Amino acid sequence: MEVKNQVSLAEFNSFGLSVNAPLFLEVTSSLALQKVLKDPRFKNALILGGGSNVLLLQNLSRPVIKISIPGIRVVEENEQSAIVSAGAGVVWHDLVMWCIANNLGGIENLSLIPGLVGAAPIQNIGAYGVELKDVFHNAIGIGRKTGDSKIFEAEDCEFGYRDSIFKNELKDKYVITTLRLSLIKSNHKLNLEYGGISQTLDEMGVVAPTLDDVARAVIRIRRKKLPDPSKLGNAGSFFKNPIVLKSKAAKIIKDFPNMPAFTIDENFTKIPAGWLIEKAGFKGKVFGNVGMHKNQALVLVNYGAATGAELWEHAQRVMGAVLSKFDVELEPEVNLIN
Ligand code: FAD
Ligand code: EPU
């Protein structure tokens, strides 16, 4: 374990922001992590996975522990299903590809989500009609104060839309080291309803889709809509899609009958933040080094030389405009790091 001083995090965050960390350590095992958590220099460390859901606002005054715990394996199986265990440092998309190659179904709709396995439960990653919670078996976390490991079952995690206990009550309390998923071995139930998957499969000429076909369709859709962070700094959706009272959604629909809206239950409706931001006039508009992307207004972009403060200033500008036009509060999905 080599502790490095004054490390640039430019390569370690998908916005490509060149901020420094005073100390930086990469850990490749749970044991190494337990050891470093006892080191007083790393008490308030930022735990970093792939850095694809953080906005680093300025040079850090705290150290960084980068999680690089490897390994994917089947730990339990029966005729129908298998439990797959993955180290927190595995690249999420590599896990998806591994599962498909082993004919294990359940996470193919979550193809190409950037980042590492350990961060997946933090915001309960989701896309194209599937969320992590749908396949979650359990996760192992190490207590940052005690160094003890604890198994989190699904009911402990309080998963919600882009939410979990790890963003609330247990924020910064545990480091996830292992994730276990419950996946299906045969008679796959494909989830093709959402977001143009069926249409894309038709375009691809696929008649009887396999897990791999679904993944390829999702990848195709994502590549069309979302900018590649290696070319244009971004962290995916910057805001959550707001869930508002039905009456508020109805008020907006009165003026904008074509607004897309999704019923949550009898009281609440989810509105696409991308639509609100586009209608507030920000889609594709560049403000200095930053802006909301031309194909997806929900994606805040660094055109190359932005600072974290500039990105956050723009995010606040967008939040203010949406609030005054629609009376809807946007909440950042991305984690703001001081
Ligand atoms: P990081 O950015 O490194 O960390 C995120 C947060 O989790 C931080 O607060 C960090 O401290 C904490 N954390 C990280 N690892 C651990 C750990 N092992 N234990 C405890 N805490 C930890 N997300 C979706 O849900 N759906 C999408 O479709 C999607 N599309 C995206 C598209 C693009 C182009 C980009 C750039 C991002 C997208 N995201 C999406 C967001 C992002 O990919 C996910 O949030 C992902 O899970 C972040 O993983 P990471 O390893 O990069 O996390
Ligand atoms: N829309 C617009 N203008 C835009 C963008 C979107 O009008 O500029 C409209 C679309 O026409 C569509 C609706 O908004 O009717 C939803 O758009 P889209 O299907 O692109 O999905 P999203 O709601 O913007 C969410 C997730 C994504 C996830 C996709 C697919 C959130 C915050 N974002 O985006 O996750 O990949 O659905 O499931 O829930 C992420 O979390 O970083 C992320 C990329």
Side-chain angles (χ1 to χ4, degrees):
M1 290 206 298
E2 188 197 349
V3 177
K4 295 182 182 154
N5 292 295
Q6 287 306 328
V7 170
S8 166
L9 298 179
E11 276 176 34
F12 299 105
N13 75 102
S14 62
F15 273 121
L17 296 167
S18 319
V19 306
N20 285 347
L23 289 178
F24 182 96
L25 179 66
E26 191 165 356
V27 295
T28 55
S29 71
S30 302
L31 269 178
L33 177 66
Q34 276 169 318
K35 198 168 150 199
V36 72
L37 289 175
K38 284 191 194 131
D39 182 335
R41 290 177 301 167
F42 285 89
K43 195 165 159 254
N44 297 316
L46 168 67
I47 304 300
L48 200 57
S52 65
N53 208 27
V54 287
L55 174 54
L56 305 171
L57 292 167
Q58 60 208 13
N59 280 328
L60 299 189
S61 54
R62 54 186 171 140
V64 166
I65 300 175
K66 164 103 176 90
I67 304 298
S68 297
I69 301 169
I72 308 178
R73 66 197 172 98
V74 171
V75 288
E76 232 180 278
E77 62 185 314
N78 58 32
E79 291 252 304
Q80 291 84 35
S81 62
I83 307 291
V84 172
S85 171
V90 171
V91 171
W92 173 263
H93 183 65
D94 292 351
L95 174 62
V96 175
M97 292 294 111
W98 187 94
C99 292
I100 292 171
N102 287 282
N103 198 30
L104 295 171
I107 53 174
E108 54 285 352
N109 293 45
L110 303 179
S111 293
L112 215 62
I113 296 182
L116 307 185
V117 161
I122 307 300
Q123 73 159 9
N124 178 28
I125 56 169
Y128 298 95
V130 174
E131 287 184 325
L132 180 78
K133 73 170 170 55
D134 302 330
V135 291
F136 182 89
H137 181 65
N138 61 31
I140 303 178
I142 294 183
R144 297 188 59 165
K145 262 200 181 141
T146 60
D148 294 342
S149 74
K150 176 174 160 60
I151 295 181
F152 290 93
E153 306 296 345
E155 58 272 24
D156 300 326
C157 295
E158 298 179 7
F159 288 128
Y161 163 62
R162 295 297 188 274
D163 205 19
S164 78
I165 196 163
F166 305 109
K167 283 186 91 170
N168 300 295
E169 207 182 315
L170 295 186
K171 189 173 161 56
D172 295 330
K173 300 267 191 297
Y174 283 87
V175 181
I176 304 297
T177 56
T178 305
L179 178 65
R180 296 194 191 113
L181 305 180
S182 177
L183 301 173
I184 302 298
K185 284 169 71 171
S186 56
N187 298 325
H188 297 298
K189 220 175 124 223
L190 303 178
N191 194 328
L192 309 178
E193 264 87 82
Y194 188 97
I197 297 182
S198 293
Q199 196 193 326
T200 306
L201 286 166
D202 286 347
E203 285 164 20
M204 289 160 57
V206 174
V207 183
T210 61
L211 298 177
D212 185 54
D213 292 327
V214 175
R216 288 191 301 122
V218 167
I219 290 170
R220 200 158 146 152
I221 301 169
R222 293 182 68 98
R223 285 203 171 126
K224 257 193 226 157
K225 281 195 191 174
L226 295 165
D228 175 353
S230 69
K231 300 196 177 98
L232 199 58
N234 76 89
S237 302
F238 192 83
F239 302 104
K240 293 185 191 180
N241 287 324
I243 294 170
V244 301
L245 280 172
K246 244 192 169 113
S247 55
K248 184 169 277 185
K251 219 166 137 195
I252 304 174
I253 288 172
K254 227 170 140 202
D255 293 333
F256 298 91
N258 295 328
M259 181 183 81
F262 307 92
T263 298
I264 298 287
D265 57 30
E266 67 271 25
N267 298 319
F268 292 99
T269 301
K270 194 194 258 183
I271 309 178
W275 183 90
L276 294 169
I277 296 167
E278 178 173 347
K279 287 290 173 268
F282 286 95
K283 187 169 183 169
K285 225 190 220 176
V286 179
F287 290 70
N289 294 310
V290 305
M292 306 311 289
H293 194 253
K294 63 178 175 21
N295 299 340
Q296 228 302 0
L298 189 46
V299 178
L300 175 63
V301 169
N302 171 10
Y303 287 105
T307 61
E310 254 176 296
L311 285 160
W312 180 228
E313 192 189 335
H314 191 57
Q316 288 173 297
R317 187 183 288 134
V318 169
M319 288 161 84
V322 167
L323 183 63
S324 69
K325 190 171 172 77
F326 295 108
D327 191 26
V328 172
E329 276 186 51
L330 293 181
E331 183 193 338
E333 183 209 273
V334 170
N335 299 279
L336 305 176
I337 310 290
N338 266 304

